[in-house]
Amino acid sequence: MTFDETSLARWLRDGGREEGDPIPAATVVLVRDGATGVETLMLRKNSKIAFGGMWVFPGGRVDDADRQGAPDLEAAARRAAAREAVEEADLAVDADSMELISHWLPPAVAPKRYATWFFVAPAPEGGLVTIDGGEIHDSAWLGAADALAKRDVGEFELAPPTWMTLHYLADFDSVDSLMADARPREPVWYQTEILRVAEGMAAMWHGDVAYRGDDPDAPGPRHRLLMLEAGWRLDRTI
């Protein structure tokens, strides 16, 4: 399974709502220490709903109830992420334990768009993952490198924000070291653009020579994810 034009179209289509401003959403990357390093909880969506068939982290849109009494949208997003962890995986997560690591917007041309807050948090100790078999069809605790490898051999389908988050997690061998990095870390704000390059398709972000419409094959700084048949590769020189 590859992230081809059909997968790209589905990611763009399911990335938010049909009109108006992007709708706020949140996801929580739950992590625990495994035998070979950090493991994260991944869920496979029902193929008939938004992001169908893709492996994702627990998450969903920010509801009105999440906003009630919240001092700002980030606080509401934290509540939404914690609520979704319960609804999708039956795991109770303290919203205050979450650290914001990134914020994502699909391309501006997408007919549907979520503005998604990505948080990371230690998984609750002793928590047993339970899925409903409806919205979520499968779950797995995986090392980040293992999840990325499964994408490259066609076992997993991932969207670019999920791939980039796993790439970040892969640098750490323990939850303590990951959270120590995440706490003071300045969150990265991504607005994705998708362009064709000589090698295939690429997701591009601020700082890339081709961001905002320049020649994607021109020499210059790179900040892009190359989504190739042979595998995905981050090309970053900034």
Side-chain angles (χ1 to χ4, degrees):
M1 182 182 297
T2 59
F3 197 79
D4 55 14
E5 283 83 354
T6 301
S7 303
L8 174 60
R10 187 167 69 254
W11 176 57
L12 295 179
R13 180 196 69 210
D14 295 336
R17 65 181 183 182
E18 295 182 357
E19 60 184 2
D21 294 335
I23 191 167
T27 190
V28 57
V29 183
L30 296 175
V31 291
R32 71 181 188 184
D33 288 317
T36 59
V38 175
E39 296 179 339
T40 186
L41 176 63
M42 303 203 69
L43 308 175
R44 184 170 65 86
K45 291 278 192 176
N46 183 330
S47 62
K48 297 181 180 180
I49 64 175
F51 305 104
M54 291 187 179
W55 284 82
V56 298
F57 307 112
R61 68 177 58 201
V62 177
D63 289 343
D64 290 342
D66 301 317
R67 297 172 180 265
Q68 292 179 3
D72 53 35
L73 184 54
E74 180 182 333
R78 288 177 182 276
R79 293 178 180 178
R83 173 178 53 75
E84 290 286 346
V86 173
E87 293 178 0
E88 294 188 338
D90 198 25
L91 293 177
V93 182
D94 182 358
D96 292 336
S97 71
M98 300 178 187
E99 299 295 338
L100 177 63
I101 55 173
S102 60
H103 184 278
W104 288 83
L105 271 175
V109 297
K112 292 185 176 183
R113 303 173 80 206
Y114 280 130
T116 307
W117 305 74
F118 273 62
F119 300 97
V120 64
E125 291 189 15
L128 179 64
V129 175
T130 304
I131 59 175
D132 61 12
E135 180 180 352
I136 305 300
H137 274 196
D138 202 357
S139 67
W141 287 99
L142 292 165
D146 292 338
L148 294 174
K150 285 179 178 293
R151 198 234 67 85
D152 282 345
V153 298
E155 294 182 20
F156 274 21
E157 187 175 4
L158 304 175
T162 310
W163 192 98
M164 290 290 288
T165 303
L166 290 167
H167 185 270
Y168 167 64
L169 297 183
D171 285 338
F172 301 96
D173 58 8
S174 71
V175 171
D176 284 347
S177 62
L178 168 61
M179 297 307 296
D181 181 84
R183 289 186 190 99
R185 187 175 190 261
E186 187 71 23
V188 183
W189 293 73
Y190 294 94
Q191 182 166 339
T192 304
E193 292 188 356
I194 301 292
L195 294 175
R196 287 193 176 277
V197 296
E199 306 98 316
M201 289 194 300
M204 298 188 182
W205 301 291
H206 179 75
D208 192 283
V209 66
Y211 196 66
R212 302 303 188 195
D214 292 332
D215 179 4
D217 297 317
R222 296 291 195 259
H223 188 194
R224 61 182 67 177
L225 173 60
L226 297 172
M227 300 181 290
L228 313 178
E229 288 291 332
W232 288 15
R233 175 171 57 86
L234 181 62
D235 185 0
R236 183 171 186 177
T237 61
I238 62 170

